[in-house]
Amino acid sequence: VNKFMNNCVFVGNITRIDDDLQMIGSGEHTSEKIRFGMALQRNFKNKDGEYEADFINCEAWGRTAEFIHKYFVKGQKIAIIGQFRNNNYINKDGNKVYSDFIYVDSAEFASSKADNANVGDRQTNNSNNTTSKDDFMDIPRTVEEALPFN
């Protein structure tokens, strides 16, 4: 079986994101989870000359969830690699409900420095020029010009 059969790569804008990480499990078996939505712009214009978008639900766990929660906000461009999953079920009325989402394996920044100039309070409040307990380096806003990528 080829482990790469169910891989998705998307670049889009975050349309909604959980304010807090959910903690799932207990004790040593605790993991973080976050859910967010993405808008994916289509490659063509409709009859009115406008680009349409597809909206997908995403879910990330563990270190990927921590990274997304710490560094991304609504409206920001994100690149993800993940797996297509569905959680279809029969509701109380006996109707089948389709619930598709992307299980996110990894996420990366997909915006330029200029696009992220006003990304929101979460990043501002989380920057304190130290390495936090989660091993993600906090990058203060004052050194952005010195970073080796745009």
Side-chain angles (χ1 to χ4, degrees):
V1 175
N2 187 343
K3 68 178 183 174
F4 299 108
M5 292 291 283
N6 184 8
N7 267 355
C8 304
V9 178
F10 294 118
V11 177
N13 291 75
I14 296 176
T15 58
R16 61 179 166 70
I17 189 166
D18 290 348
D19 289 333
D20 295 312
L21 288 171
Q22 293 179 10
M23 299 303 289
I24 307 297
S26 62
E28 293 179 24
H29 303 289
T30 302
S31 185
E32 299 81 4
K33 178 175 104 172
I34 194 166
R35 292 183 177 160
F36 62 97
M38 285 180 67
L40 308 172
Q41 184 175 304
R42 294 183 181 173
N43 293 341
F44 55 89
K45 295 180 181 180
N46 63 18
K47 65 181 180 175
D48 298 325
E50 298 175 356
Y51 288 103
E52 293 182 2
D54 293 302
F55 297 88
I56 60 170
N57 295 313
C58 301
E59 180 176 286
W61 288 76
R63 305 264 303 156
T64 303
E66 291 177 48
F67 175 72
I68 293 169
H69 179 258
K70 186 165 186 165
Y71 292 107
F72 289 91
V73 294
K74 180 179 177 180
Q76 191 170 4
K77 192 171 287 271
I78 187 172
I80 64 168
I81 299 173
Q83 304 164 22
F84 178 81
R85 302 241 176 122
N86 62 46
N87 190 22
N88 302 339
Y89 61 94
I90 306 296
N91 68 12
K92 65 181 179 181
D93 298 326
N95 299 321
K96 189 165 189 172
V97 176
Y98 296 92
S99 175
D100 300 328
F101 67 97
I102 302 300
Y103 177 88
V104 179
D105 292 318
S106 65
E108 296 183 23
F109 298 105
S111 299
S112 69
K113 185 171 45 176
D115 291 339
N116 288 332
N118 297 312
V119 293
D121 293 336
R122 185 182 298 157
Q123 284 183 329
T124 302
N125 292 338
N126 286 340
S127 294
N128 61 9
N129 209 10
T130 63
T131 302
S132 61
K133 66 179 175 64
D134 60 12
D135 294 330
F136 291 121
M137 186 175 107
D138 289 322
I139 301 172
R141 290 203 177 284
T142 57
V143 297
E144 283 183 5
E145 291 75 26
L147 294 175
F149 50 87
N150 291 326

